[in-house]
Amino acid sequence: MRNFGSIKRNALSSVAVASSLTLAASVAAIGTAHAAVKVTITGTVSCAKFDESTPKTVTITPKKGTPGSDEPAGEEKVEKYTIKLTGIPSTGTTATAKVVCEDSDGDTNTYKTKDFPVKKPASGGPVTFNLPA
């Protein structure tokens, strides 16, 4: 004669294992759907609003992700910059850009551009963002 209690227990154990595997697969799929991406931002930076100043640093700080910065090499009032950000959510985020301008006496002025959108374009190429925006 069969012990129906042990058959019922084995069936319930199998259901529990299957449910656990299904839950783990769901969690893994959700984690993949929200994976972080790299976003490259390029553009021009201007210190024209400050007399005789040139851009020294550009820093972009996303709300979610890792900040990045660049030090334009030239001595013009308008220079090019490129910043690579990592850890940006695949759905995007907002960021703040901070520009430090320096004049020939070494005096600095700073300005910020707040809450501009950062999202990797479908093409996978860089995002263009000119400062001031």
Side-chain angles (χ1 to χ4, degrees):
M1 190 189 302
R2 281 192 143 170
N3 182 349
F4 287 107
S6 68
I7 292 173
K8 191 174 183 181
R9 238 178 296 137
N10 287 341
L12 287 175
S13 293
S14 297
V15 169
V17 168
S19 296
S20 296
L21 291 173
T22 302
L23 179 61
S26 298
V27 169
I30 289 170
T32 303
H34 296 290
V37 296
K38 293 178 185 176
V39 177
T40 300
I41 301 177
T42 63
T44 58
V45 56
S46 173
C47 288
K49 68 181 181 177
F50 303 112
D51 270 347
E52 304 303 316
S53 290
T54 59
K56 288 299 162 197
T57 59
V58 179
T59 303
I60 297 180
T61 305
K63 279 193 176 183
K64 294 182 179 179
T66 305
S69 64
D70 189 17
E71 296 179 8
E75 293 295 322
E76 301 297 321
K77 288 187 181 207
V78 178
E79 292 288 344
K80 292 182 180 182
Y81 76 94
T82 300
I83 296 176
K84 294 181 185 198
L85 302 175
T86 59
I88 303 299
S90 59
T91 56
T93 188
T94 60
T96 299
K98 179 176 120 179
V99 177
V100 176
C101 301
E102 185 177 87
D103 65 17
S104 59
D105 294 330
D107 296 328
T108 60
N109 290 294
T110 302
Y111 69 89
K112 291 183 180 181
T113 302
K114 294 184 177 185
D115 297 329
F116 65 91
V118 174
K119 184 175 183 180
K120 187 167 188 162
S123 68
V127 174
T128 300
F129 188 69
N130 297 320
L131 295 159

